Amino acid sequence: QVHLVESGGGVVQPGGSLRLSCAASGFTLTDFGMNWVRQAPGKGLEWVTFLRYDGKNQYFADSVKGRFTVSRDASKNTVFLQMSGLTAEDTAVYYCAKEGVSGGGLWPRHLDSWGQGTLVTVSS
Amino acid sequence: DIVLTQSPGTLSLSPGERATLSCRASRALVSNYLAWYQQKPGQAPRLLIFGASNRAAGIPERFSGSGSGTDFTLTITRLEPEDFAVYYCHQYGSSPQVTFGGGTKVEIK
């Protein structure tokens, strides 16, 4: 059974950095692309980034490009989201989500499993 | 980027009624790569439909998706109490950029 657990959220000052983790179980990260999606308080869903199943390609929303990076540790079956230059607009619950197709194509696919999310608050 | 517009913003219905939710794309979607998710307060989204009309594993038959090109619909044939939630459409698969619609809230009338 697929299980995703995010951690690393918290309160950070504007301009600061934070690293989120997503521990995966029930499947192998090297078979599926992974995404991060965020949701600001009371707002809708915003896609943040996609790391392709082979780890060779990653894509970002324009709102985070140049400030966020995504990586993984296959040996720990864990994905990371490194965030820097944080602003109040980055305040949100951050979800990691697994794509629904193994060995998927070049681009992100539908998301069939989601973690419970971790809250990031950017505030002084 | 492709913009997804969901309507209506809020749908007020009674249990047992039929719900019809719309999602319109700013340009035609490749291979009808359109998904629908349900989200309840305090919970993560749950995949309902992918590829415009394919039900995800474990999703009841009362949920169905249809449409192609730029116009897509999620239909819930008979609303159950647990179906009152927010629903999002999501386009994917045609470029690195992924977008979600703004959501439709289905509330109890």
Side-chain angles (χ1 to χ4, degrees), chain A residues 3-124:
Chain A
H3 201 44
L4 299 169
V5 179
E6 301 94 338
S7 60
V11 180
V12 60
Q13 291 190 338
S17 299
L18 206 58
R19 188 176 84 155
L20 306 183
S21 300
C22 171
S25 59
F27 71 100
T28 303
L29 273 185
T30 53
D31 289 337
F32 292 89
M34 293 295 293
N35 295 259
W36 288 90
V37 176
R38 68 184 181 182
Q39 187 169 36
K43 302 297 184 182
L45 302 172
E46 180 188 15
W47 172 78
V48 173
T49 184
F50 167 68
L51 177 63
R52 216 168 79 130
Y53 72 98
D54 58 6
K56 292 183 179 179
N57 293 88
Q58 46 189 272
Y59 306 109
F60 297 90
D62 290 342
S63 58
V64 306
K65 204 171 293 183
R67 300 188 297 122
F68 289 14
T69 60
V70 61
S71 61
R72 71 184 184 190
D73 183 336
S75 67
K76 296 181 179 178
N77 226 36
T78 299
V79 180
F80 304 100
L81 181 67
Q82 179 68 49
M83 307 183 293
S84 62
L86 289 164
T87 72
E89 286 65 45
D90 297 313
T91 294
V93 173
Y94 285 73
Y95 297 99
C96 66
K98 165 187 165 292
E99 69 173 358
V101 179
S102 65
L106 285 175
W107 317 124
R109 305 297 291 270
H110 60 279
L111 307 174
D112 70 349
S113 298
W114 297 62
Q116 85 290 347
T118 187
L119 176 62
V120 173
T121 302
V122 183
S123 173
S124 55

